[in-house]
Every structure is written in C-alpha cells, then in structure tokens.
C-alpha cells in the first residue's frame, strides 16, 4: 500500500473492509465493480424454463446446491460446474455441464443461451469478503434472467441492488429459504416476472455496461 498510487476494488464490501483496516491509505482506494459485455450477454425473447446454477470458485456453496436440487424434484435444473457430484443427486431433474473458466464445457455464447432460456439463476454462497458470484449474477441479469443470491459480506453493490426489486437476497441459509424464493419466482405471473426481469436488465444497462466501465477506469487512472 505504501508503494502503490491506486488500488481498485471490484466489491464495495472488500473496499469498506480495507478502508476500516487501513485508514491511512483509504485515499488510494477506488471502487470499480465488474462489468459485462452486452454484445455477448444479451437479452433475447425465448421460451424459459427451469433453474440455472453456474460456478466453480471455492466460495460457492455446492452442498447447498445439491440439497436444493434434491428438495425440488418437479423443477428442472441446469448446472455448469465441475463440483456438482451427480451421485449426490437423487432425482432425474438435472443436466450437468462439467466445465471451468480454463476448461469450459460450453462457450460463452452457449452459456448466454442457457441464461436466456432459464427462469432464474441461483447462487448459494459461503460468507466471505470476496465478491463471489458477481460475474455470473451480472451476466444472468444482462440476459434478462432474475438472480437469487446469498447476501454475503462481499456483495459488491448494495446501492444499486435492492432485494425483490432487481435481485433476490437469501439471508437465511436454509434449504427451505431457497425453496421458498425459487418457488415464488417460478410461480410469478407473466407481468410480475417481466417486471422483475426488466428491472435487473435496466440496472445492468445503467450501471454495468462495459463501455461505462472503460470510461470509469480511465477516469480513475488519469485523475
């Protein structure tokens, strides 16, 4: 911290932690949340069904994902992850793509299509300061698909994301809490679902566009 001029954080939670811990250096800290390329992660009018889970990082709660899938046998799940063990799943209600960032099972375009065809993306997380799930959540919202995510210390932007408006937070990390929110979204009528979808997409367009990200990082670097 002594030797650098500026430190950029992707998460509001991480930056606030650093500001409290290193008050003498807080003037060097800048917040610049992750952005998405909307030419790839784009909204399309396609039939939607089922629930999607994407991710491999160590702060994903894979055990909870197993439990959620097992608890909702009538719901179809699509999983893109190396760490979901099909032997732990007791119903025939899932499709698993084994892949990671370095060794993808599907391309970004194919993943974008999975987002667009899903009714909701779930992101059960372990609590941490890392903004786990950030890129997946933003990609999903950019494709018009609502997101349910654990509310962790590392959630990146509590200013622009509001529970039940453009995202759904899970505070009670129980299978029943996840079941309840998933069921509510899956059972929304068309107008309510469309309103939720459009609200998430609007947040991405206004706050997380890649062009705006480039402008912000340029502003930080030359200030």
């Amino acid at each position: 911290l002594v030797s650098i001029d500026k430190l950029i954080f992707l998460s509001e939670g991480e930056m606030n932690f650093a500001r409290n811990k290193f008050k003498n250096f807080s003037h060097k800290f800048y917040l610049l949340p992750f952005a998405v390329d909307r030419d790839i992660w784009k909204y399309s009018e396609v039939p939607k069904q089922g629930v999607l889970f994407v991710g491999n990082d160590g702060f994903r709660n894979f055990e909870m994902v197993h439990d959620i899938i097992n608890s909702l046998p009538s719901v179809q799940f699509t999983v893109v992850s190396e760490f979901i063990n099909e032997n732990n799943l007791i119903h025939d209600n899932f499709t698993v793509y084994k892949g990671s960032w370095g060794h993808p099972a599907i391309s970004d375009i194919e993943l974008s299509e999975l987002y667009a065809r899903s009714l909701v993306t779930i992101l059960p997380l372990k609590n941490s300061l890392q903004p786990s799930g950030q890129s997946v959540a933003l990609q999903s919202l950019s494709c018009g698909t609502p997101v349910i995510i654990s509310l962790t210390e590392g959630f990146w932007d509590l200013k622009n994301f509001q529970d039940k408006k453009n995202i759904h937070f899970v505070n009670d990390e129980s299978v029943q809490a996840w079941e309840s929110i998933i069921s509510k979204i899956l059972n929304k009528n068309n107008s309510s679902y469309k309103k939720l979808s459009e609200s998430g997409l609007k947040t991405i367009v206004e706050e997380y566009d890649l062009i705006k990200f480039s402008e912000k990082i340029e502003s930080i670097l030359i200030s």
Side-chain angles (χ1 to χ4, degrees):
L1 293 176
V2 171
S3 64
I4 65 168
D5 294 314
K6 299 175 182 181
L7 182 59
I8 297 173
F9 293 87
L10 294 177
S11 162
E12 185 178 47
E14 283 185 320
M15 187 177 74
N16 289 339
F17 176 84
R19 279 179 168 170
N20 290 331
K21 191 171 182 64
F22 305 105
K23 292 182 173 63
N24 291 339
F25 298 101
S26 60
H27 62 284
K28 297 184 176 186
F29 300 161
Y30 295 83
L31 178 63
L32 184 67
F34 188 76
V36 287
D37 185 344
R38 292 194 299 115
D39 288 335
I40 297 175
W41 314 105
K42 56 188 175 182
Y43 175 83
S44 59
E45 290 279 358
V46 295
K48 288 175 168 283
Q49 65 175 355
V51 177
L52 178 66
F53 169 78
V54 180
N56 287 300
D57 80 57
F59 291 111
R60 296 288 202 279
N61 190 338
F62 300 109
E63 182 179 348
M64 179 62 73
V65 176
H66 287 111
D67 291 343
I68 292 169
I69 295 174
N70 287 334
S71 72
L72 293 167
S74 63
V75 175
Q76 187 63 36
F77 288 83
T78 302
V79 173
V80 183
S81 176
E82 288 188 327
F83 298 109
I84 296 301
N85 186 345
E86 297 177 44
N87 293 325
N88 293 336
L89 302 175
I90 60 179
H91 307 292
D92 187 22
N93 63 331
F94 61 88
T95 301
V96 176
Y97 297 91
K98 294 284 188 180
S100 63
W101 186 82
H103 301 89
I106 58 178
S107 68
D108 282 350
I109 297 300
E110 290 169 324
L111 180 56
S112 176
E113 292 170 354
L114 285 181
Y115 284 129
R117 294 200 302 266
S118 300
L119 278 165
V120 64
T121 297
I122 61 170
L123 287 165
L125 306 173
K126 301 173 184 177
N127 191 37
S128 74
L129 279 171
Q130 179 180 316
S132 179
Q134 184 180 33
S135 58
V136 168
L138 299 180
Q139 290 164 2
S140 181
L141 294 172
S142 185
C143 293
T145 298
V147 169
I148 308 172
I149 187 170
S150 304
L151 182 57
T152 66
E153 293 179 50
F155 188 80
W156 55 94
D157 184 357
L158 290 172
K159 174 185 175 183
N160 292 303
F161 285 98
Q162 299 177 29
D163 189 28
K164 299 181 181 66
K165 179 181 178 182
N166 52 5
I167 201 165
H168 279 69
F169 291 125
V170 178
N171 294 293
D172 172 12
E173 282 299 308
S174 67
V175 177
Q176 292 75 22
W178 282 94
E179 281 183 32
S180 175
I181 299 174
I182 291 170
S183 297
K184 285 177 182 177
I185 292 181
L186 295 184
N187 292 318
K188 281 183 177 292
N189 60 42
N190 288 340
S191 61
S192 295
Y193 180 87
K194 185 176 181 182
K195 183 178 180 180
L196 177 61
S197 172
E198 290 177 345
S199 181
L201 178 58
K202 182 173 182 286
T203 303
I204 300 300
V205 172
E206 293 180 352
E207 303 294 337
Y208 287 89
D209 181 75
L210 190 61
I211 294 175
K212 292 181 180 179
F213 177 88
S214 300
E215 292 172 349
K216 289 177 182 177
I217 197 168
E218 180 181 27
S219 175
I220 291 171
L221 294 176
I222 66 175
S223 65

